Amino acid sequence: MPPICGQQCCVPDPTETSPVWAQHLPPGLTVAEVDLVGAGNLTRRWVARWRADPTTPVVFDDAGGWVTGEELEARTRRVAGRLSAAGLEAGDRLLVSAQATTDLVVAHIAALRLGLVVVPVNTAYRQREVAHVVADAWPRAAVVDDAERAGWILAASGATPILVIGPEVDLPDGPAEVGRQLELDSAALDDPAVLLYTSGTTGVAKGAPLSHRNLLASAEAVVLAWRWTPVDRLVLALPLFHLHGLGVGLHGSLCAGASIVLRPGFGADDLFDASRTHQASLFFGVPTMYARLAKSPRLGELARLRLCVSGSAPLPADLHAAVAERGGQRIVERYGMTETVMNVSNPYAGDRVPGTVGLALPGVDLRLDEGTDEILVRGPNVFSGYWQRPEATAESFVDGWFRTGDVGGFDDNGYLKIVGRRKELIISGGYNVYPREVEDVLRTHPGVGDVAVIGVADGVWGEAVVAFIEGGNIDANLGADLLSFAADLLAPYKRPKRVHQIARLPRNALGKVIKSELHE
Ligand code: MCA
Ligand code: AMP
């Protein structure tokens, strides 16, 4: 192999050295031979897989059993025809908020085949959170599996009513069924495929559009790096409204021509049972899931899998060690972000180093900002800007590099370590919680003068959301009151696990709360 630039803080010059990511490639494959994106788009790649291998099972759920490639092709074509007949056109947004089922997968793929932009929404969101996405994304239609959420979407839809349907998309059949031509799989590589909401320091969720190019490049990068092949079978217990489950689990499997066992949620026994019953080879989870698996007497059953990957939050080194010792799996930890999909991963073949996230993935350039050590990323995986927010976009890029808001460093072997965050963010059980959003909500309670929300290290959630209320009169009921108040306004994972009332929040000379001085 050509020499490798160990100093990832400089931009590798491909004429002199191979990029760092060459270390992820399978033996025999050279950097010059790697074409992550190629021609076409996401669905053309998947449909080509199904046509090449029509009878192989692709997706399983408990309700419908296995669905093969040719069945998926027919079902997604039919649903695309229905959406088209209902008036949806390429570029229209389709809000999608439902549990992971084959129907949901079919609706998602059908929407992409038609050139729609899928807007995934967390099923735990409350009315306030759903209404924000509706008002910002302006979806033409919504796929939801819950009557209350359907009502919230309709209530937020304003003058032009949104078409709200269930995941089975029970609408009249469209052009494909009556024999007319339906234009499918024709999105351009730079057309948006998915619009995902993610917050920031402002506490207001912003839409991050991801193009077919971004999603294909990232899915193909992990397919290569993790040696994902058609014989693999993933137990997918992550929700499909974030990139971990959607962009990595689902899209990666479809790009690899592999199969997926969908689970409606995560449970240790369910994961072990599904892995055994379906002879799975892969599992992807957030650290909270691994912490729960590590507590199970069945942890040793993980050893039957070919590969376990962790991401979305830091994986503690002692948890990595416990799963290696008792579970027989050296977990591959990787690092991603909504705006950039997947950036960095520990290598499949090389050392998997606990406490690091590894090496830049194929196609990804990585460096640290001089002075702040903020991790900067560029590559085909990186989005081109926030939905209708030019100022936020401008602030997020420096000379074409995306500013992740994470602070990093490299070890002696060039492995990236995430050592801190410039952005105020709490990651609880793999879900992002923005303190500012929680503070803004709690501050609207009449008993609250001021409030500061922090993340406190937690053995189960990684970080737990904790609120400190500044109040003149200590009110024994305020904590309980606030939690029931928050129940209507915040998804459960954003609600504080604990509330403390204190006489004064610590502040600096400018009156800004010094969160580092808040302790339980
Ligand atoms: C559930 N609860 C939580 C969380 N999840 N509390 C804090 N943080 C959480 N993440 C609370 C519920 O409110 C409830 O509280 C109690 O736990 C039990 O709820 P239940 O629904 O039964 O929990 P669960 O189903 O066991 O969920 C735990 C989970 C889930 C499986 C770890 O949180 C999860 O799926 N997390 C993964 C999220 C994910 O996909 N993240 C990727 C985003 P109470 O009892 O008080 O009512 S990041 C991303 O995509 C980037 C690109 C990346 O790098 O991956
Ligand atoms: P999101 O905005 O939901 O896409 O979350 C992305 C953020 O999750 C990143 O900016 C990191 O702060 C964090 N993250 C993802 N993977 C890891 C990891 N393996 N270790 C530490 N933090 C991670």
Side-chain angles (χ1 to χ4, degrees):
M1 194 170 359
I4 282 160
C5 175
Q7 300 296 312
Q8 296 196 9
C9 50
C10 64
V11 186
D13 176 354
T15 57
E16 287 175 13
T17 62
S18 263
V20 167
W21 55 259
Q23 295 175 78
H24 281 294
L25 299 184
L29 188 66
T30 65
V31 168
E33 287 166 326
V34 173
D35 182 7
L36 297 169
V37 175
N41 56 35
L42 286 166
T43 58
R44 256 194 257 170
R45 187 138 328 162
W46 303 340
V47 171
R49 284 277 188 194
W50 304 332
R51 292 206 169 120
D53 206 353
T55 55
T56 295
V58 181
V59 186
F60 173 94
D61 75 2
D62 288 339
W66 281 104
V67 172
T68 63
E70 68 189 344
E71 287 164 345
L72 260 187
E73 202 285 322
R75 281 179 64 176
T76 54
R77 174 178 292 276
R78 185 171 190 186
V79 169
R82 291 177 177 185
L83 294 169
S84 168
L88 277 90
E89 293 171 1
D92 284 342
R93 269 85 56 211
L94 176 72
L95 187 153
V96 174
S97 181
Q99 200 179 55
T101 59
T102 300
D103 280 343
L104 181 72
V105 167
V106 168
H108 173 74
I109 300 172
L112 296 185
R113 294 193 74 179
L114 197 59
L116 306 182
V117 183
V118 174
V119 186
V121 170
N122 196 319
T123 52
Y125 274 9
R126 308 299 296 159
Q127 183 163 13
R128 186 189 65 86
E129 295 151 316
V130 170
H132 172 71
V133 176
V134 171
D136 198 74
W138 286 106
R140 286 274 308 268
V143 169
V144 283
D145 61 357
D146 173 85
E148 188 179 44
R149 225 172 311 132
W152 294 341
I153 290 165
L154 284 171
S157 71
T160 323
I162 294 171
L163 172 70
V164 182
I165 41 186
E168 65 292 348
V169 190
D170 197 3
L171 293 170
D173 284 329
E177 293 304 304
V178 295
R180 277 186 288 126
Q181 196 59 35
L182 176 67
E183 202 185 346
L184 293 180
D185 309 318
S186 54
L189 267 174
D190 289 313
D191 286 346
V194 168
L195 178 63
L196 269 158
Y197 277 76
T198 176
S199 292
T201 45
T202 54
V204 177
K206 307 183 282 283
L210 291 161
S211 65
H212 283 258
R213 181 190 305 279
N214 302 146
L215 292 161
L216 251 182
S218 225
E220 292 290 357
V222 292
V223 165
L224 268 180
W226 300 340
R227 312 288 192 268
W228 210 336
T229 75
V231 299
D232 277 313
R233 179 160 290 172
L234 172 71
V235 181
L236 187 46
L238 288 154
L240 294 181
F241 43 74
H242 280 298
L243 280 182
H244 198 163
L246 188 76
V248 186
L250 178 66
H251 293 181
S253 295
L254 296 172
C255 284
S259 53
I260 307 157
V261 178
L262 291 173
R263 304 312 305 147
F266 174 80
D269 283 330
D270 184 74
L271 171 74
F272 293 125
D273 292 343
S275 304
R276 182 195 302 222
T277 307
H278 297 288
Q279 301 187 323
S281 59
L282 302 174
F283 171 69
F284 303 159
V286 298
T288 298
M289 294 177 176
Y290 286 103
R292 290 194 190 167
L293 293 176
K295 289 205 175 100
S296 164
R298 298 173 65 185
L299 180 63
E301 292 182 41
L302 267 194
R304 70 170 69 241
L305 301 175
R306 178 178 75 77
L307 173 67
C308 289
V309 181
S310 174
S312 308
L315 181 72
D318 58 347
L319 181 54
H320 188 280
V323 174
E325 273 160 38
R326 292 187 290 113
Q329 282 290 345
R330 286 191 66 79
I331 299 170
V332 165
E333 183 173 2
R334 58 74 183 162
Y335 160 59
M337 208 179 155
T338 301
E339 292 90 333
T340 64
V341 204
M342 293 297 109
N343 294 320
V344 179
S345 172
N346 268 273
Y348 180 76
D351 277 348
R352 303 174 184 179
V353 182
T356 78
V357 287
L359 305 161
L361 277 161
V364 178
D365 281 339
L366 189 67
R367 71 179 177 92
L368 301 181
D369 185 46
E370 261 177 61
T372 64
D373 283 348
E374 179 171 359
I375 300 167
L376 307 180
V377 181
R378 72 178 182 191
N381 55 311
V382 179
F383 84 146
S384 52
Y386 293 102
W387 167 250
Q388 299 182 335
R389 282 187 164 78
E391 280 171 20
T393 301
E395 283 164 17
S396 299
F397 285 90
V398 50
D399 299 332
W401 293 79
F402 178 71
R403 306 161 64 126
T404 61
D406 296 308
V407 178
F410 293 103
D411 74 7
D412 293 344
N413 296 312
Y415 281 45
L416 180 70
K417 288 180 182 191
I418 298 174
V419 296
R421 294 182 201 132
R422 300 193 76 203
K423 54 193 172 192
E424 255 202 83
L425 166 67
I426 301 167
I427 307 183
S428 171
Y431 282 136
N432 285 5
V433 182
Y434 295 88
R436 173 75 185 272
E437 182 189 5
V438 181
E439 289 161 2
D440 287 349
V441 165
L442 296 184
R443 222 174 263 125
T444 62
H445 185 283
V448 172
D450 203 358
V451 55
V453 168
I454 60 168
V456 172
D458 185 277
V460 176
W461 300 114
E463 289 176 285
V465 178
V466 174
F468 290 84
I469 310 292
E470 185 177 70
N473 305 319
I474 301 292
D475 173 355
N477 294 324
L478 184 60
D481 255 23
L482 264 182
L483 291 182
S484 65
F485 174 76
D488 271 346
L489 300 167
L490 293 169
Y493 66 89
K494 298 180 188 171
R495 296 175 202 156
K497 297 285 183 211
R498 294 179 290 282
V499 175
H500 302 288
Q501 209 178 357
I502 53 176
R504 293 205 64 73
L505 290 168
R507 291 174 198 278
N508 65 17
L510 300 171
K512 192 172 177 303
V513 176
I514 312 169
K515 291 198 174 178
S516 57
E517 290 184 8
L518 287 169
H519 301 287
E520 287 200 282

